[in-house]
PDB file of all heavy atoms in Angstrom:
ATOM      1  N   ARG A 292       8.951   2.813  -1.150  1.00  0.00           N
ATOM      2  CA  ARG A 292       9.720   2.975   0.099  1.00  0.00           C
ATOM      3  C   ARG A 292       8.951   3.998   0.945  1.00  0.00           C
ATOM      4  O   ARG A 292       8.622   5.077   0.481  1.00  0.00           O
ATOM      5  CB  ARG A 292      11.076   3.599  -0.223  1.00  0.00           C
ATOM      6  CG  ARG A 292      12.005   3.739   0.964  1.00  0.00           C
ATOM      7  CD  ARG A 292      13.249   4.553   0.654  1.00  0.00           C
ATOM      8  NE  ARG A 292      12.922   5.949   0.281  1.00  0.00           N
ATOM      9  CZ  ARG A 292      12.673   6.871   1.187  1.00  0.00           C
ATOM     10  NH1 ARG A 292      12.636   6.642   2.507  1.00  0.00           N
ATOM     11  NH2 ARG A 292      12.430   8.109   0.782  1.00  0.00           N
ATOM     12  N   MET A 293       8.723   3.591   2.190  1.00  0.00           N
ATOM     13  CA  MET A 293       8.087   4.463   3.160  1.00  0.00           C
ATOM     14  C   MET A 293       8.997   4.719   4.338  1.00  0.00           C
ATOM     15  O   MET A 293       9.399   3.762   5.033  1.00  0.00           O
ATOM     16  CB  MET A 293       6.803   3.811   3.693  1.00  0.00           C
ATOM     17  CG  MET A 293       5.734   3.618   2.622  1.00  0.00           C
ATOM     18  SD  MET A 293       4.221   2.805   3.274  1.00  0.00           S
ATOM     19  CE  MET A 293       3.558   4.076   4.352  1.00  0.00           C
ATOM     20  N   PRO A 294       9.365   5.997   4.584  1.00  0.00           N
ATOM     21  CA  PRO A 294      10.166   6.305   5.793  1.00  0.00           C
ATOM     22  C   PRO A 294       9.393   5.977   7.057  1.00  0.00           C
ATOM     23  O   PRO A 294       8.154   5.742   7.007  1.00  0.00           O
ATOM     24  CB  PRO A 294      10.357   7.811   5.659  1.00  0.00           C
ATOM     25  CG  PRO A 294      10.100   8.166   4.240  1.00  0.00           C
ATOM     26  CD  PRO A 294       9.079   7.172   3.774  1.00  0.00           C
ATOM     27  N   PRO A 295      10.048   5.995   8.209  1.00  0.00           N
ATOM     28  CA  PRO A 295       9.375   5.738   9.490  1.00  0.00           C
ATOM     29  C   PRO A 295       8.189   6.650   9.675  1.00  0.00           C
ATOM     30  O   PRO A 295       8.177   7.810   9.341  1.00  0.00           O
ATOM     31  CB  PRO A 295      10.474   6.001  10.526  1.00  0.00           C
ATOM     32  CG  PRO A 295      11.762   5.795   9.803  1.00  0.00           C
ATOM     33  CD  PRO A 295      11.476   6.250   8.375  1.00  0.00           C
ATOM     34  N   HIS A 296       7.121   6.093  10.280  1.00  0.00           N
ATOM     35  CA  HIS A 296       5.901   6.867  10.700  1.00  0.00           C
ATOM     36  C   HIS A 296       5.257   7.616   9.559  1.00  0.00           C
ATOM     37  O   HIS A 296       4.854   8.731   9.739  1.00  0.00           O
ATOM     38  CB  HIS A 296       6.337   7.809  11.847  1.00  0.00           C
ATOM     39  CG  HIS A 296       7.037   7.060  12.976  1.00  0.00           C
ATOM     40  ND1 HIS A 296       6.387   6.215  13.819  1.00  0.00           N
ATOM     41  CD2 HIS A 296       8.328   7.001  13.323  1.00  0.00           C
ATOM     42  CE1 HIS A 296       7.258   5.719  14.661  1.00  0.00           C
ATOM     43  NE2 HIS A 296       8.448   6.181  14.333  1.00  0.00           N
ATOM     44  N   THR A 297       5.127   6.957   8.438  1.00  0.00           N
ATOM     45  CA  THR A 297       4.337   7.464   7.293  1.00  0.00           C
ATOM     46  C   THR A 297       3.204   6.520   6.938  1.00  0.00           C
ATOM     47  O   THR A 297       3.216   5.356   7.327  1.00  0.00           O
ATOM     48  CB  THR A 297       5.236   7.717   6.060  1.00  0.00           C
ATOM     49  OG1 THR A 297       5.908   6.471   5.690  1.00  0.00           O
ATOM     50  CG2 THR A 297       6.302   8.751   6.340  1.00  0.00           C
ATOM     51  N   SER A 298       2.290   7.022   6.198  1.00  0.00           N
ATOM     52  CA  SER A 298       1.168   6.141   5.652  1.00  0.00           C
ATOM     53  C   SER A 298       0.593   6.778   4.420  1.00  0.00           C
ATOM     54  O   SER A 298       0.833   7.912   4.057  1.00  0.00           O
ATOM     55  CB  SER A 298       0.085   6.052   6.776  1.00  0.00           C
ATOM     56  OG  SER A 298      -0.558   7.283   6.970  1.00  0.00           O
ATOM     57  N   GLU A 299      -0.144   5.918   3.732  1.00  0.00           N
ATOM     58  CA  GLU A 299      -0.833   6.370   2.552  1.00  0.00           C
ATOM     59  C   GLU A 299      -2.255   6.725   2.926  1.00  0.00           C
ATOM     60  O   GLU A 299      -2.722   6.357   4.054  1.00  0.00           O
ATOM     61  CB  GLU A 299      -0.839   5.340   1.424  1.00  0.00           C
ATOM     62  CG  GLU A 299      -1.555   4.098   1.752  1.00  0.00           C
ATOM     63  CD  GLU A 299      -1.621   3.089   0.633  1.00  0.00           C
ATOM     64  OE1 GLU A 299      -1.335   3.488  -0.548  1.00  0.00           O
ATOM     65  OE2 GLU A 299      -1.902   1.934   0.898  1.00  0.00           O
ATOM     66  N   LYS A 300      -3.023   7.454   2.091  1.00  0.00           N
ATOM     67  CA  LYS A 300      -4.444   7.732   2.352  1.00  0.00           C
ATOM     68  C   LYS A 300      -5.254   6.488   2.121  1.00  0.00           C
ATOM     69  O   LYS A 300      -5.022   5.697   1.219  1.00  0.00           O
ATOM     70  CB  LYS A 300      -4.894   8.847   1.387  1.00  0.00           C
ATOM     71  CG  LYS A 300      -4.282  10.178   1.720  1.00  0.00           C
ATOM     72  CD  LYS A 300      -4.826  11.248   0.832  1.00  0.00           C
ATOM     73  CE  LYS A 300      -4.186  12.571   1.195  1.00  0.00           C
ATOM     74  NZ  LYS A 300      -4.772  13.692   0.427  1.00  0.00           N
ATOM     75  N   ARG A 301      -6.220   6.340   3.027  1.00  0.00           N
ATOM     76  CA  ARG A 301      -7.185   5.183   2.853  1.00  0.00           C
ATOM     77  C   ARG A 301      -7.944   5.280   1.614  1.00  0.00           C
ATOM     78  O   ARG A 301      -8.420   6.361   1.249  1.00  0.00           O
ATOM     79  CB  ARG A 301      -8.070   5.167   4.073  1.00  0.00           C
ATOM     80  CG  ARG A 301      -8.857   3.899   4.243  1.00  0.00           C
ATOM     81  CD  ARG A 301      -9.418   3.808   5.650  1.00  0.00           C
ATOM     82  NE  ARG A 301      -9.950   2.506   5.894  1.00  0.00           N
ATOM     83  CZ  ARG A 301     -11.216   2.118   5.733  1.00  0.00           C
ATOM     84  NH1 ARG A 301     -12.064   2.944   5.349  1.00  0.00           N
ATOM     85  NH2 ARG A 301     -11.565   0.879   6.013  1.00  0.00           N
ATOM     86  N   HIS A 302      -7.994   4.176   0.895  1.00  0.00           N
ATOM     87  CA  HIS A 302      -8.594   4.204  -0.421  1.00  0.00           C
ATOM     88  C   HIS A 302      -9.077   2.764  -0.826  1.00  0.00           C
ATOM     89  O   HIS A 302      -8.839   1.854  -0.090  1.00  0.00           O
ATOM     90  CB  HIS A 302      -7.591   4.735  -1.483  1.00  0.00           C
ATOM     91  CG  HIS A 302      -6.414   3.840  -1.649  1.00  0.00           C
ATOM     92  ND1 HIS A 302      -5.348   3.807  -0.780  1.00  0.00           N
ATOM     93  CD2 HIS A 302      -6.170   2.916  -2.659  1.00  0.00           C
ATOM     94  CE1 HIS A 302      -4.504   2.909  -1.160  1.00  0.00           C
ATOM     95  NE2 HIS A 302      -4.926   2.329  -2.281  1.00  0.00           N
ATOM     96  N   LEU A 303      -9.649   2.702  -2.025  1.00  0.00           N
ATOM     97  CA  LEU A 303     -10.010   1.406  -2.616  1.00  0.00           C
ATOM     98  C   LEU A 303      -9.873   1.498  -4.098  1.00  0.00           C
ATOM     99  O   LEU A 303      -9.764   2.528  -4.659  1.00  0.00           O
ATOM    100  CB  LEU A 303     -11.377   0.919  -2.208  1.00  0.00           C
ATOM    101  CG  LEU A 303     -12.641   1.701  -2.633  1.00  0.00           C
ATOM    102  CD1 LEU A 303     -13.018   1.425  -4.091  1.00  0.00           C
ATOM    103  CD2 LEU A 303     -13.771   1.267  -1.731  1.00  0.00           C
ATOM    104  N   HIS A 304      -9.806   0.346  -4.711  1.00  0.00           N
ATOM    105  CA  HIS A 304      -9.791   0.160  -6.199  1.00  0.00           C
ATOM    106  C   HIS A 304     -11.029  -0.622  -6.556  1.00  0.00           C
ATOM    107  O   HIS A 304     -11.260  -1.710  -5.981  1.00  0.00           O
ATOM    108  CB  HIS A 304      -8.489  -0.501  -6.623  1.00  0.00           C
ATOM    109  CG  HIS A 304      -7.266   0.184  -6.100  1.00  0.00           C
ATOM    110  ND1 HIS A 304      -6.747   1.305  -6.728  1.00  0.00           N
ATOM    111  CD2 HIS A 304      -6.429  -0.113  -5.093  1.00  0.00           C
ATOM    112  CE1 HIS A 304      -5.692   1.709  -6.084  1.00  0.00           C
ATOM    113  NE2 HIS A 304      -5.445   0.873  -5.092  1.00  0.00           N
ATOM    114  N   GLU A 305     -11.773  -0.110  -7.568  1.00  0.00           N
ATOM    115  CA  GLU A 305     -13.004  -0.812  -7.919  1.00  0.00           C
ATOM    116  C   GLU A 305     -12.775  -2.049  -8.704  1.00  0.00           C
ATOM    117  O   GLU A 305     -13.517  -3.082  -8.559  1.00  0.00           O
ATOM    118  CB  GLU A 305     -13.893   0.152  -8.726  1.00  0.00           C
ATOM    119  CG  GLU A 305     -14.441   1.268  -7.876  1.00  0.00           C
ATOM    120  CD  GLU A 305     -15.399   2.210  -8.643  1.00  0.00           C
ATOM    121  OE1 GLU A 305     -14.923   2.687  -9.710  1.00  0.00           O
ATOM    122  OE2 GLU A 305     -16.525   2.315  -8.179  1.00  0.00           O
ATOM    123  N   THR A 306     -11.715  -2.111  -9.530  1.00  0.00           N
ATOM    124  CA  THR A 306     -11.512  -3.292 -10.399  1.00  0.00           C
ATOM    125  C   THR A 306     -10.129  -3.960 -10.121  1.00  0.00           C
ATOM    126  O   THR A 306      -9.962  -5.170 -10.476  1.00  0.00           O
ATOM    127  CB  THR A 306     -11.622  -2.961 -11.899  1.00  0.00           C
ATOM    128  OG1 THR A 306     -10.620  -1.910 -12.246  1.00  0.00           O
ATOM    129  CG2 THR A 306     -12.977  -2.457 -12.204  1.00  0.00           C
ATOM    130  N   SER A 307      -9.175  -3.253  -9.627  1.00  0.00           N
ATOM    131  CA  SER A 307      -7.842  -3.826  -9.448  1.00  0.00           C
ATOM    132  C   SER A 307      -7.708  -4.686  -8.197  1.00  0.00           C
ATOM    133  O   SER A 307      -8.186  -4.327  -7.127  1.00  0.00           O
ATOM    134  CB  SER A 307      -6.766  -2.690  -9.411  1.00  0.00           C
ATOM    135  OG  SER A 307      -6.774  -1.972 -10.590  1.00  0.00           O
ATOM    136  N   GLN A 308      -7.066  -5.814  -8.396  1.00  0.00           N
ATOM    137  CA  GLN A 308      -6.671  -6.643  -7.317  1.00  0.00           C
ATOM    138  C   GLN A 308      -5.165  -6.395  -7.042  1.00  0.00           C
ATOM    139  O   GLN A 308      -4.427  -6.170  -8.008  1.00  0.00           O
ATOM    140  CB  GLN A 308      -6.866  -8.123  -7.678  1.00  0.00           C
ATOM    141  CG  GLN A 308      -6.430  -9.151  -6.700  1.00  0.00           C
ATOM    142  CD  GLN A 308      -6.758 -10.545  -7.183  1.00  0.00           C
ATOM    143  OE1 GLN A 308      -7.678 -10.748  -7.951  1.00  0.00           O
ATOM    144  NE2 GLN A 308      -5.967 -11.470  -6.716  1.00  0.00           N
ATOM    145  N   GLN A 309      -4.762  -6.315  -5.746  1.00  0.00           N
ATOM    146  CA  GLN A 309      -3.404  -6.022  -5.441  1.00  0.00           C
ATOM    147  C   GLN A 309      -2.777  -7.039  -4.546  1.00  0.00           C
ATOM    148  O   GLN A 309      -3.467  -7.708  -3.799  1.00  0.00           O
ATOM    149  CB  GLN A 309      -3.272  -4.625  -4.767  1.00  0.00           C
ATOM    150  CG  GLN A 309      -3.708  -3.451  -5.682  1.00  0.00           C
ATOM    151  CD  GLN A 309      -3.461  -2.156  -5.025  1.00  0.00           C
ATOM    152  OE1 GLN A 309      -4.070  -1.828  -3.971  1.00  0.00           O
ATOM    153  NE2 GLN A 309      -2.577  -1.424  -5.587  1.00  0.00           N
ATOM    154  N   PHE A 310      -1.437  -7.100  -4.581  1.00  0.00           N
ATOM    155  CA  PHE A 310      -0.680  -7.931  -3.662  1.00  0.00           C
ATOM    156  C   PHE A 310       0.502  -7.112  -3.193  1.00  0.00           C
ATOM    157  O   PHE A 310       1.277  -6.554  -3.986  1.00  0.00           O
ATOM    158  CB  PHE A 310      -0.184  -9.232  -4.358  1.00  0.00           C
ATOM    159  CG  PHE A 310       0.537 -10.179  -3.376  1.00  0.00           C
ATOM    160  CD1 PHE A 310      -0.293 -10.989  -2.514  1.00  0.00           C
ATOM    161  CD2 PHE A 310       1.873 -10.214  -3.243  1.00  0.00           C
ATOM    162  CE1 PHE A 310       0.363 -11.784  -1.578  1.00  0.00           C
ATOM    163  CE2 PHE A 310       2.465 -11.030  -2.370  1.00  0.00           C
ATOM    164  CZ  PHE A 310       1.700 -11.892  -1.513  1.00  0.00           C
ATOM    165  N   PHE A 311       0.626  -6.931  -1.914  1.00  0.00           N
ATOM    166  CA  PHE A 311       1.720  -6.198  -1.271  1.00  0.00           C
ATOM    167  C   PHE A 311       2.711  -7.204  -0.698  1.00  0.00           C
ATOM    168  O   PHE A 311       2.294  -8.062   0.026  1.00  0.00           O
ATOM    169  CB  PHE A 311       1.188  -5.269  -0.116  1.00  0.00           C
ATOM    170  CG  PHE A 311       0.323  -4.101  -0.602  1.00  0.00           C
ATOM    171  CD1 PHE A 311      -0.981  -4.317  -1.072  1.00  0.00           C
ATOM    172  CD2 PHE A 311       0.857  -2.840  -0.572  1.00  0.00           C
ATOM    173  CE1 PHE A 311      -1.720  -3.257  -1.475  1.00  0.00           C
ATOM    174  CE2 PHE A 311       0.065  -1.773  -0.986  1.00  0.00           C
ATOM    175  CZ  PHE A 311      -1.187  -1.937  -1.453  1.00  0.00           C
ATOM    176  N   TYR A 312       3.977  -7.012  -0.995  1.00  0.00           N
ATOM    177  CA  TYR A 312       5.022  -7.979  -0.534  1.00  0.00           C
ATOM    178  C   TYR A 312       6.139  -7.121   0.082  1.00  0.00           C
ATOM    179  O   TYR A 312       6.766  -6.329  -0.609  1.00  0.00           O
ATOM    180  CB  TYR A 312       5.506  -8.842  -1.701  1.00  0.00           C
ATOM    181  CG  TYR A 312       6.454  -9.880  -1.217  1.00  0.00           C
ATOM    182  CD1 TYR A 312       6.018 -11.089  -0.620  1.00  0.00           C
ATOM    183  CD2 TYR A 312       7.843  -9.726  -1.410  1.00  0.00           C
ATOM    184  CE1 TYR A 312       6.887 -12.045  -0.213  1.00  0.00           C
ATOM    185  CE2 TYR A 312       8.733 -10.734  -0.988  1.00  0.00           C
ATOM    186  CZ  TYR A 312       8.236 -11.894  -0.369  1.00  0.00           C
ATOM    187  OH  TYR A 312       9.068 -12.814   0.035  1.00  0.00           O
ATOM    188  N   ILE A 313       6.474  -7.441   1.377  1.00  0.00           N
ATOM    189  CA  ILE A 313       7.488  -6.671   2.063  1.00  0.00           C
ATOM    190  C   ILE A 313       8.898  -7.186   1.738  1.00  0.00           C
ATOM    191  O   ILE A 313       9.164  -8.401   1.891  1.00  0.00           O
ATOM    192  CB  ILE A 313       7.274  -6.790   3.591  1.00  0.00           C
ATOM    193  CG1 ILE A 313       5.843  -6.350   3.970  1.00  0.00           C
ATOM    194  CG2 ILE A 313       8.347  -5.966   4.365  1.00  0.00           C
ATOM    195  CD1 ILE A 313       5.507  -4.898   3.618  1.00  0.00           C
ATOM    196  N   LEU A 314       9.738  -6.274   1.251  1.00  0.00           N
ATOM    197  CA  LEU A 314      11.125  -6.582   0.931  1.00  0.00           C
ATOM    198  C   LEU A 314      12.030  -6.409   2.121  1.00  0.00           C
ATOM    199  O   LEU A 314      12.908  -7.183   2.381  1.00  0.00           O
ATOM    200  CB  LEU A 314      11.600  -5.722  -0.235  1.00  0.00           C
ATOM    201  CG  LEU A 314      10.869  -5.889  -1.532  1.00  0.00           C
ATOM    202  CD1 LEU A 314      11.334  -4.835  -2.534  1.00  0.00           C
ATOM    203  CD2 LEU A 314      11.074  -7.322  -2.105  1.00  0.00           C
ATOM    204  N   SER A 315      11.799  -5.311   2.933  1.00  0.00           N
ATOM    205  CA  SER A 315      12.565  -5.006   4.095  1.00  0.00           C
ATOM    206  C   SER A 315      11.753  -4.183   5.061  1.00  0.00           C
ATOM    207  O   SER A 315      10.881  -3.433   4.611  1.00  0.00           O
ATOM    208  CB  SER A 315      13.886  -4.306   3.755  1.00  0.00           C
ATOM    209  OG  SER A 315      13.654  -3.038   3.208  1.00  0.00           O
TER     210      SER A 315
END
């Protein structure tokens, strides 16, 4: 859960593959 006007730090993963899916 991310409140309004927030963000994570820019990054990468060397071996992990990810999938982001928006619930709301």
Side-chain angles (χ1 to χ4, degrees):
R292 183 190 67 79
M293 294 178 71
H296 308 287
T297 57
S298 65
E299 65 177 343
K300 291 184 179 182
R301 192 164 193 264
H302 65 282
L303 64 77
H304 304 282
E305 291 182 305
T306 59
S307 297
Q308 176 176 334
Q309 295 186 296
F310 186 78
F311 290 75
Y312 185 79
I313 305 300
L314 299 171
S315 64

